[in-house]
Amino acid sequence: MKLGVALCVLGLAVAIEGLSEEQKKRLEEYSKECLEVSKVEEAVLKEAEKGVFLDDPKLKVHALCFSKKIHMQNEKGEIQVDVIKEKLTSQIKSAEEVEKVVKLCLVQKDTPENTAFEGLQCLQKNVPKDVVLF
């Protein structure tokens, strides 16, 4: 996901010019819906876009909302390893790399919000920039 014209979704800066029209529309919908739910401050999202993830409860709500939208977590907040593994496998050719990322990033935490918050941060840092998870 190269930086360019970007939308911020928990700091996942997504270059929209490389996406299909359907993907662009879906990303815009997710972003609007999650902002309505989380009410996170724009400044907090801007920091996340820079890689600075503040320990903000609203940012964590935003992360959970987005995580559910991409099916990383179900409605109960449980990680859906098979779904993310399938998305990663379709774009990362190394099965070893997929397993490494899954074990590192898809870890159930004490709350669904923390699971999403930490998982999405981890994915942002450890998944190749051209992988699309939505």
Side-chain angles (χ1 to χ4, degrees):
M1 292 185 259
K2 297 176 183 156
L3 239 42
V5 180
L7 292 171
C8 184
V9 182
L10 183 68
L12 297 174
V14 180
I16 63 174
E17 63 268 359
L19 302 178
S20 71
E21 287 304 314
E22 180 183 332
Q23 288 172 318
K24 290 177 192 178
K25 185 176 179 180
R26 193 172 344 144
L27 181 60
E28 289 171 8
E29 288 171 10
Y30 291 172
S31 183
K32 286 178 188 177
E33 290 169 10
C34 290
L35 282 170
E36 287 177 22
V37 169
S38 69
K39 309 274 192 259
V40 66
E41 297 291 326
E42 186 176 331
V44 173
L45 283 177
K46 291 271 187 213
E47 287 300 306
E49 187 174 352
K50 296 176 195 172
V52 178
F53 297 91
L54 303 174
D55 190 14
D56 181 320
K58 290 180 180 179
L59 184 59
K60 291 179 180 184
V61 169
H62 191 82
L64 178 59
C65 175
F66 186 72
S67 181
K68 288 178 180 178
K69 299 280 184 200
I70 65 170
H71 306 289
M72 186 172 105
Q73 288 172 270
N74 64 18
E75 286 304 312
K76 293 180 182 177
E78 301 163 332
I79 292 180
Q80 303 301 292
V81 174
D82 292 340
V83 173
I84 296 301
K85 193 181 231 184
E86 183 180 322
K87 290 179 183 190
L88 291 173
T89 301
S90 71
Q91 299 173 74
I92 300 173
K93 299 307 172 204
S94 167
E96 245 178 46
E97 185 65 26
V98 170
E99 284 301 321
K100 178 182 148 196
V101 169
V102 166
K103 286 182 181 179
L104 183 65
C105 299
L106 301 181
V107 179
Q108 200 73 42
K109 302 296 181 182
D110 59 331
T111 66
E113 292 83 3
N114 284 335
T115 299
F117 184 70
E118 292 180 29
L120 288 170
Q121 284 181 75
C122 183
L123 288 169
Q124 182 188 31
K125 292 175 187 171
N126 293 285
V127 170
K129 300 301 180 204
D130 60 342
V131 171
V132 178
L133 293 173
F134 55 92

